């Protein structure tokens, strides 16, 4: 009894639990729910006002939002046009512009339903289900609108529709599957609807349409096969012995009826439902054999009480009579089907042996007879005496080498450890790797430390080190560490001589080897332009962009022969690429009839880009006729003399298009420049045309979606804003570089920090002089003709009263050669491209030649000189 009294008194001795219960009751009480619910409804209304106001005044507030955290709030808030002030502008900027676009409005119904549920204790719609739908449809609507914005002509005006998330999803999908991204987005909606709304298969709907009354089966597949076999046996036996069958059925049910009785009394419903389905199935099979009266008796449902069992004895007897052979039939069926997969597997090896493989081997064999007679074709024999430039032409910067002292490494290491420990972050180990510009500190955090905590301390570490350009890589790809890049006090200059003379570059087997500089671990970085296949360069003024382009061009000059590589140089600045004019007869390509190979006029840039498109189409035609997939295979076939030059085949050099400032071209020409650049970037990889495009303004109106999607390789020097970094690299980081050649190189998903090699103007001049003084071709590599409106003559109508003085000679030349080509007039009559083009327009207007047909020569409509003389008489010439 004493124990019972003590146990009853124990709960009374815990007065401490009462305050906690009262506190919990207060927090979870109706008053608190009412307050939280009202605030939630108010938040939904304020978000609606902020979002709607941002759609009206968002563009005007972007500059204020970008500088809101750098200027006092009292000054920045006065310039905002949003209805909710600076807070509304910031919230609208993040939700609408940075994240989900107009799909952000789907957050508001969730908040309203939650607020009404808390305030009125009434749920007008399931909150959990509504939240899942809102999250999915925000992402899906943003992705759909992102697809529309990505392929629209004015991305900057429509970017608020999809937000940053929609554009990011479509850019990733387009890099993977191109136009098929819209199919993936539609498939996501299909899968969500099927699983979220629990849409079943349409099989049962079809069954109902056909009039089948069998309910949805819940038994396993062996029963279905069993019923079919029972039906067949039943039909055969009833045809032969229709009277003998009921006799044994009435004798056997007594021992078997004892088995289903406990099944009926047990509470498990699935087995009972399975018996009812079997009975209904058998009843349906007997519809055609039994009379109407018997059918009504058999279709009556079986009641659950045990007393009703005798009433349905005929049905139960039939079910029990056919259940014994069920396991035998179901077990034999899989045994008969089991050998079928083995038989199919035995056939597979015999079908894999295909005879066409022998034909492929024969196709890849070189022409041995011609090789014995002439040898392999060597494209460099055109300039057999050509000498590659020597490394001695480059300057060696021996006095500028700077090493990071151990004292500096130790001091910065201790500072990083102390800063992290101040915020309660312990480090297991730290390792320093000094580079030419920055030193990489790799840290391994202790167990339980979140990476996001270290990433958030980026500014604090920069403050403690008193350094610019702190960059945290968390985690480092392929390593179990976190990288912290800290600039060195004394920077080491990476000269172009050091990287060009390196063994890694000299022994490179790449098709178009490019040496960019050194990594943060002092390793020389060499890549292949043919595998990029196009390069997009961005950087603010004075950060090393032009020097980087000179390094790329110089490294290609050191490795390629003039017969293997040609440059098309576009220089709107007119001074950056002028040094390379000395190698015009060796490495440069230009339009026929132009004097200067380096293109500075915007109108000529349009002609050149379209001419490259014509060259691309003609090269693809050659590859198709040769049965090759890329330029390397085609040239290899031509070297092995398996392609006939009489059929138009020739050795095709690589062509590298270099555009120094894209922003100037986009502002002056716009669509006329964007379309051919996008077309070349999409298609020109396989036929050896590669693009290097640079700009100092990486905004979305300059680097449009069409251009950016086809430049997987990006090179960014220091930029001024994070927006520019995200535009060129799709991530932050370029705004934290230290300048003077410090850059980030992105290829695919791998990002590498490099110190660009330095090449001075006298060095480039010396290399170009060395090449230009050697024997070269008679002229630059001529691109195909592109006939368009010449500068200053936009009208296509030809005045027959003012024909060119050399019109008759040009017409007679065309008729004699039966070739309507502008280049023929240029070569034979020694005319410029513009004048020859005008004469060709006059020949078309007078009926001598046909209209322009792209890369093909014009059709000559006059077949004899006699008919031409008659035409001259008609024209009174």
């Amino acid at each position: 009894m004493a124990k019972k009294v003590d146990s009853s008194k124990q709960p009374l001795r815990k007065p401490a639990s009462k305050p906690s219960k009262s506190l919990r009751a207060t927090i979870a009480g109706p008053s608190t729910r009412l307050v939280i619910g009202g605030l939630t409804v108010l938040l939904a209304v304020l978000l609606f006002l902020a979002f709607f106001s941002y759609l009206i005044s968002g563009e005007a507030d972007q500059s204020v939002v970008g500088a809101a955290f750098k200027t006092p709030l009292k000054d920045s808030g006065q310039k905002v046009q949003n209805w909710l002030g600076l807070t509304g502008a910031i919230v609208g900027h993040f939700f609408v512009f940075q994240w989900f676009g107009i799909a952000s409005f789907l957050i508001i119904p969730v908040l309203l339903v939650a607020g009404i549920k808390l305030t009125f204790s009434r749920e007008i719609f399931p909150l959990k289900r509504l939240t899942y739908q809102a999250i999915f449809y925000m992402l899906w609507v943003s992705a759909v609108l992102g697809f529309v914005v990505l392929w629209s002509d004015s991305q900057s005006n429509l970017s608020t529709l999809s937000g940053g998330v929609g554009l990011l999803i479509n850019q990733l999908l387009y890099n993977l599957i191109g136009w098929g991204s819209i199919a993936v987005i539609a498939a996501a909606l299909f899968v969500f609807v099927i699983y979220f709304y629990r849409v079943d298969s349409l099989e049962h709907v079809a069954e109902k349409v056909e009039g089948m009354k069998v309910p949805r089966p819940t038994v396993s597949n062996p029963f279905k096969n069993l019923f079919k076999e029972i039906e067949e046996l039943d039909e055969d036996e009833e045809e032969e012995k229709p009277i003998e069958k009921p006799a044994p059925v009435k004798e056997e049910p007594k021992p078997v009826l004892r088995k289903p009785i406990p099944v009926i009394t047990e509470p498990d419903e699935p087995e009972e439902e399975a018996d009812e389905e079997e009975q209904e199935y058998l009843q349906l099979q007997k519809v055609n054999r039994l009379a109407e009266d018997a059918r009504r008796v058999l279709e009556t449902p079986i009641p659950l009480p045990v007393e009703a069992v005798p009433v349905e004895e005929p049905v139960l007897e039939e079910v029990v009579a056919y259940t014994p052979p069920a396991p035998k039939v179901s077990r034999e069926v899989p045994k008969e089907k089991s050998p079928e997969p083995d038989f199919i597997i035995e056939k597979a090896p015999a079908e894999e042996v295909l005879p066409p493989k022998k034909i492929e081997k024969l196709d890849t064999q070189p022409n041995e007879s011609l090789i014995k007679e002439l040898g392999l074709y060597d494209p460099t024999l055109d300039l057999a005496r050509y000498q590659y430039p020597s490394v001695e032409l480059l300057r060696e910067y021996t006095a500028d080498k700077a090493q990071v002292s151990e004292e500096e490494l130790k001091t910065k290491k201790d500072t990083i450890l102390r800063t992290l420990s101040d915020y309660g972050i312990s480090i297991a180990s730290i390792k320093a790797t000094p580079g030419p510009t920055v030193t990489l500190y790799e840290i391994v955090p202790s167990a339980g430390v979140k990476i996001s905590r270290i990433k958030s301390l980026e500014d604090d570490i920069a403050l403690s080190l008193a350094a610019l350009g702190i960059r945290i890589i968390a985690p480092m790809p392929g390593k179990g560490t976190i990288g912290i890049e800290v600039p060195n006090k004394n920077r080491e200059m990476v000269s172009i001589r050091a990287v060009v003379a390196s063994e890694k570059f000299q022994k490179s087997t790449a098709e178009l080897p490019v040496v960019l500089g050194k990594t943060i671990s002092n390793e020389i970085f060499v890549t292949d332009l043919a595998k990029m296949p196009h390069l997009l360069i961005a950087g603010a003024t004075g950060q090393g962009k032009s020097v980087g382009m000179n390094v790329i061009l110089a490294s290609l000059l050191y490795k390629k022969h003039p017969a293997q590589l040609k440059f098309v140089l576009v220089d709107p600045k007119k001074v950056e690429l002028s040094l390379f004019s000395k190698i015009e007869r060796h490495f440069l390509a230009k339009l026929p009839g132009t004097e200067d190979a380096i293109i500075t006029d915007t109108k000529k840039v349009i002609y050149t880009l379209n001419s490259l498109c014509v060259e691309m189409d003609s090269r693809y035609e050659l590859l198709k006729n040769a049965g090759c997939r890329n330029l390397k295979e085609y040239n290899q076939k031509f070297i092995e003399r398996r392609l006939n030059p009489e059929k138009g085949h020739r050795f095709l050099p690589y062509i590298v298009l270099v555009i120094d400032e894209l922003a100037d071209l986009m502002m002056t020409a716009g669509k006329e420049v964007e379309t051919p650049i996008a077309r070349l970037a999409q298609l020109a990889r396989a036929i050896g045309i590669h693009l290097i495009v640079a700009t100092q303004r990486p905004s979305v109106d300059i680097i449009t979606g069409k251009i950016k999607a086809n430049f997987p390789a990006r090179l960014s020097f220091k930029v001024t804003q994070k927006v520019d970094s995200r535009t060129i690299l799709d991530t932050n980081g370029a705004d934290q570089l230290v300048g003077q050649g410090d850059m980030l190189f992105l290829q695919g998903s791998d990002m590498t920090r490099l110190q660009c090699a330095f090449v001075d103007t006298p060095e480039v001049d010396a290399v170009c002089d060395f090449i230009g003084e050697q024997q070269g071709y008679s002229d630059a590599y001529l691109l195909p003709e592109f006939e368009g409106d010449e500068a200053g003559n936009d009208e296509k109508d030809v005045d027959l009263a003012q024909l060119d003085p050399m019109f008759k000679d040009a017409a007679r030349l065309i008729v004699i050669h039966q070739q309507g080509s502008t280049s023929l007039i240029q070569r034979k009559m020694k005319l410029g491209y513009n004048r020859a083009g005008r004469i060709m327009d006059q020949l078309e207007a007078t009926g001598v030649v046909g209209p322009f047909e792209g890369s093909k020569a014009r059709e000559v409509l006059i077949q004899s000189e006699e008919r031409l003389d008659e035409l001259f008489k008609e024209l009174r010439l």
Side-chain angles (χ1 to χ4, degrees):
M1 295 298 293
K3 292 182 180 180
K4 293 181 179 179
V5 172
D6 294 338
S7 62
S8 61
K9 292 181 179 181
Q10 284 179 358
L12 299 176
R13 295 179 180 178
K14 295 182 179 179
S17 61
K18 293 182 179 180
S20 62
K21 290 182 179 179
S22 60
L23 180 60
R24 293 177 183 175
T26 303
I27 295 176
S31 301
T32 306
R33 291 170 59 89
L34 183 61
V35 170
I36 296 175
L39 293 178
T40 305
V41 174
L42 178 62
L43 177 61
V45 175
L46 294 178
L47 284 179
F48 176 80
L49 296 176
F51 294 167
F52 187 81
S53 178
Y54 184 83
L55 296 178
I56 301 174
S57 61
E59 295 182 0
D61 294 342
Q62 281 188 0
S63 59
V64 181
V65 173
F69 301 98
K70 299 179 182 179
T71 58
L73 294 177
K74 62 180 182 179
D75 297 332
S76 60
Q78 295 176 355
K79 304 176 182 179
V80 177
Q81 300 181 12
N82 194 284
W83 295 344
L84 296 185
L86 182 60
T87 303
I90 294 175
V91 171
H93 176 76
F94 279 99
F95 275 92
V96 180
F97 183 80
Q98 295 287 349
W99 293 343
F100 307 108
I102 61 174
S104 303
F105 283 89
L106 294 175
I107 303 174
I108 297 172
V110 178
L111 295 177
L112 286 175
V113 172
I116 293 174
K117 180 179 179 181
L118 292 173
T119 305
F120 303 98
S121 298
R122 180 181 179 184
E123 192 174 41
I124 60 175
F125 197 89
L127 180 60
K128 185 177 180 181
R129 187 176 181 84
L130 179 62
T131 304
Y132 290 157
Q133 294 182 76
I135 294 173
F136 173 80
Y137 287 120
M138 273 196 301
L139 295 173
W140 189 82
V141 172
S142 178
V144 171
L145 295 177
F147 180 86
V148 177
V149 172
L150 187 64
W151 294 104
S152 63
D153 296 332
S154 57
Q155 279 195 8
S156 58
N157 298 330
L158 301 176
S159 57
T160 55
L161 294 178
S162 62
V165 174
L167 288 176
L168 178 61
I169 292 174
N170 280 276
Q171 288 171 356
L172 294 176
L173 290 177
Y174 183 81
N175 291 337
L176 294 174
I177 56 177
W179 282 93
S181 58
I182 189 63
V184 175
I185 296 173
L189 177 64
F190 177 78
V191 173
F192 179 81
V193 170
I194 291 297
Y195 285 95
F196 188 82
Y197 298 102
R198 299 179 180 178
V199 178
D200 294 333
S201 174
L202 300 178
E203 178 183 359
H204 303 291
V205 179
E207 291 177 354
K208 292 181 180 180
V209 173
E210 294 174 0
M212 297 185 66
K213 300 181 181 180
V214 182
R216 182 179 176 180
T218 57
V219 296
S220 58
N221 290 332
F223 281 100
K224 294 182 180 179
N225 299 330
L226 172 63
F227 292 154
K228 292 180 181 179
E229 295 182 4
I230 290 175
E231 178 184 353
E232 295 174 359
L233 293 174
D234 190 12
E235 291 177 356
D236 296 338
E237 291 178 1
E238 285 186 358
E239 289 177 359
E240 296 176 0
K241 300 178 181 180
I243 304 175
E244 295 179 358
K245 186 177 178 180
V249 173
K250 293 182 180 180
E251 295 177 358
E252 295 181 0
K254 293 183 180 179
V256 184
L257 278 174
R258 297 176 182 176
K259 296 181 180 179
I261 290 175
V263 177
I264 297 175
T265 56
E266 287 179 357
D268 296 334
E269 296 180 0
E271 295 181 1
E272 181 180 349
E273 294 177 359
D275 293 339
E276 292 177 1
E277 291 173 1
E278 294 173 4
Q279 294 168 11
E280 290 180 2
Y281 185 85
L282 293 175
Q283 291 171 9
L284 289 173
Q285 297 298 329
K286 293 183 179 181
V287 169
N288 297 327
R289 300 190 302 267
L290 298 178
E292 289 295 332
D293 295 338
R295 175 186 174 186
R296 293 173 183 174
V297 174
L298 292 174
E299 286 184 351
T300 55
I302 303 173
L304 292 177
V306 182
E307 298 176 356
V309 174
V311 179
E312 300 294 334
E313 280 184 2
V315 180
L316 289 174
E317 288 173 358
E318 290 181 359
V319 175
V320 174
Y322 289 101
T323 49
K328 295 181 181 180
V329 176
S330 60
R331 291 175 183 174
E332 291 176 359
V333 171
K335 289 182 180 179
E336 294 176 358
K337 294 182 180 180
S338 59
E340 291 183 0
D342 298 335
F343 181 71
I344 295 173
I345 294 174
E346 289 176 1
K347 287 184 177 180
E351 296 176 355
E352 290 179 357
V353 181
L354 298 176
K357 289 186 177 180
K358 297 181 179 179
I359 300 175
E360 292 178 0
K361 292 183 179 178
L362 293 175
D363 289 340
T364 58
Q365 295 296 326
N367 195 332
E368 296 181 358
S369 60
L370 287 177
I371 291 176
K372 288 180 180 180
E373 181 181 354
L374 303 175
L376 293 174
Y377 175 78
D378 187 1
T380 62
L381 291 179
D382 294 341
L383 298 178
R385 297 181 181 179
Y386 176 80
Q387 295 181 1
Y388 290 88
S390 172
V391 182
E392 301 299 328
L393 298 171
L394 304 175
R395 179 181 173 185
E396 186 176 2
Y397 297 87
T398 55
D400 292 333
K401 290 187 177 180
Q403 299 293 334
V404 183
S405 62
E406 295 184 2
E407 181 181 357
E408 180 182 352
L409 294 176
K410 188 176 183 303
T411 302
K412 291 183 177 179
K413 181 196 71 172
D414 295 338
T415 304
I416 293 174
L417 294 177
R418 184 175 61 255
T419 304
L420 294 176
S421 62
D422 291 343
Y423 290 93
I425 299 175
S426 58
I427 301 301
S429 64
I430 185 170
K431 170 188 172 184
T433 305
T437 305
V438 298
T439 299
L440 175 64
Y441 294 88
E442 296 183 59
I443 62 175
V444 178
S446 301
V449 177
K450 291 184 177 180
I451 297 178
S452 58
R453 294 184 59 194
I454 301 178
K455 181 68 175 176
S456 62
L457 298 176
E458 189 172 23
D459 295 336
D460 299 281
I461 296 175
L463 178 63
S464 61
L465 293 172
L468 296 175
I470 298 295
R471 182 168 168 263
I472 296 180
I473 309 172
M476 294 193 67
K479 297 182 180 180
T481 59
I482 298 174
I484 302 177
E485 296 174 352
V486 182
N488 300 330
K489 291 182 179 179
N490 300 319
R491 304 178 58 174
E492 175 185 348
M493 177 177 289
V494 179
S495 65
I496 188 174
R497 176 169 180 168
V499 295
V500 168
S502 64
E503 182 180 0
K504 187 174 184 180
F505 178 72
Q506 292 295 331
K507 293 185 178 181
S508 175
T509 58
E511 291 294 318
L512 295 175
V514 173
V515 57
L516 295 177
K518 289 185 178 181
T519 64
I520 56 179
S521 58
N522 264 325
E523 296 180 1
I524 295 175
F525 188 84
V526 180
T527 184
D528 189 0
L529 179 61
K531 293 182 179 180
M532 288 187 189
H534 312 294
L535 180 61
L536 188 61
I537 304 176
T541 303
Q543 302 302 324
K545 184 172 73 286
S546 298
V547 174
M549 295 185 63
N550 290 337
V551 169
I552 294 174
L553 295 177
S555 60
L556 290 173
L557 292 177
Y558 267 88
K559 290 290 289 184
K560 305 303 291 185
H561 190 273
Q564 301 170 339
L565 176 65
K566 302 296 177 183
F567 293 112
V568 178
L569 303 181
V570 178
D571 184 14
K573 298 179 182 177
K574 303 182 180 181
V575 294
E576 294 293 343
L577 302 176
S578 59
L579 297 174
F580 296 93
S581 60
K582 303 173 184 177
I583 60 173
E584 175 181 343
R585 294 182 298 108
H586 298 81
F587 284 98
L588 298 190
K590 66 178 183 179
L591 289 172
T594 56
E595 298 179 359
D596 193 359
I598 299 178
I599 306 158
T600 57
D601 185 22
T602 306
K603 204 71 175 178
K604 292 182 179 179
V605 172
I606 299 173
Y607 293 152
T608 304
L609 294 176
N610 287 280
S611 176
L612 283 174
C613 293
V614 176
E615 173 74 11
M616 177 182 68
D617 295 335
S618 64
R619 287 192 174 198
Y620 268 117
E621 190 70 22
L622 292 176
L623 262 65
K624 183 186 73 171
N625 297 334
C628 301
R629 295 180 58 196
N630 52 54
L631 183 74
K632 186 177 181 181
E633 295 178 3
Y634 178 85
N635 285 339
Q636 185 63 31
K637 271 191 175 183
F638 191 85
I639 290 173
E640 294 174 353
R641 300 189 183 277
R642 288 187 285 149
L643 300 176
N644 190 355
E646 296 180 357
K647 296 183 179 180
H649 294 291
R650 65 185 189 276
F651 184 85
L652 301 177
Y654 285 95
I655 298 178
V656 178
L657 170 63
V658 181
I659 301 177
D660 184 47
E661 184 52 65
L662 180 63
D664 183 73
L665 298 179
M666 294 296 291
M667 287 188 297
T668 54
K671 283 267 185 186
E672 297 177 340
V673 172
E674 179 186 6
T675 301
I677 289 178
R679 189 164 183 262
L680 289 171
Q682 291 170 355
L683 302 174
R685 172 186 181 181
I687 44 86
I689 299 179
H690 304 278
L691 280 65
I692 300 176
V693 179
T695 181
Q696 65 180 358
R697 214 179 88 193
S699 56
V700 293
D701 57 336
I702 302 300
I703 305 177
T704 61
K706 293 180 181 179
I707 296 178
K708 183 179 177 181
N710 297 285
F711 282 80
R714 324 270 177 78
L715 186 63
S716 178
F717 293 87
K718 181 177 175 59
V719 295
T720 56
Q721 298 179 354
K722 290 184 179 181
V723 177
D724 296 338
S725 177
R726 287 193 293 269
T727 303
I728 184 69
L729 298 176
D730 297 327
T731 184
N732 298 332
D735 56 315
Q736 299 171 333
L737 300 175
V738 295
Q740 298 182 359
D742 190 16
M743 61 184 181
L744 290 173
F745 177 68
L746 175 67
Q747 186 171 11
S749 59
D750 300 330
M751 185 179 294
T752 308
R753 188 168 185 175
L754 304 170
Q755 174 60 41
C756 181
F758 176 75
V759 56
D760 203 359
T761 301
E763 298 176 85
V764 179
D765 202 7
V767 173
C768 293
D769 286 338
F770 178 81
I771 297 175
E773 291 173 357
Q774 301 184 50
Q775 179 185 0
Y777 298 98
S778 59
D779 197 1
Y781 184 85
L782 296 180
L783 298 173
E785 299 178 6
F786 175 77
E787 298 189 6
D789 298 332
E790 284 77 21
N793 184 22
D794 295 336
E795 297 182 0
K796 295 184 179 180
D797 297 335
V798 177
D799 187 5
L800 299 180
Q802 297 180 357
L803 296 177
D804 193 276
M806 302 188 73
F807 171 79
K808 294 179 65 176
D809 297 336
R812 198 171 300 278
L813 178 68
I814 292 295
V815 172
I816 292 173
H817 288 83
Q818 287 294 305
Q819 181 181 353
S821 172
T822 307
S823 60
L824 178 65
I825 299 177
Q826 290 180 252
R827 293 194 304 269
K828 298 295 184 180
M829 304 182 69
K830 297 182 180 179
L831 300 177
Y833 176 75
N834 292 337
R835 185 177 180 183
R838 285 193 293 270
I839 293 176
M840 185 61 69
D841 291 339
Q842 294 171 2
L843 292 173
E844 179 185 355
T846 54
V848 178
V849 297
F852 175 66
E853 297 181 359
S855 60
K856 299 181 181 179
R858 293 174 182 259
E859 181 184 0
V860 181
L861 302 179
I862 296 180
Q863 305 299 325
S864 63
E865 294 187 54
E866 290 78 8
R867 177 68 186 90
L868 182 63
D869 293 335
E870 295 178 1
L871 177 64
F872 289 160
K873 292 180 181 179
E874 296 175 0
L875 297 175
R876 298 180 180 180
L877 297 178

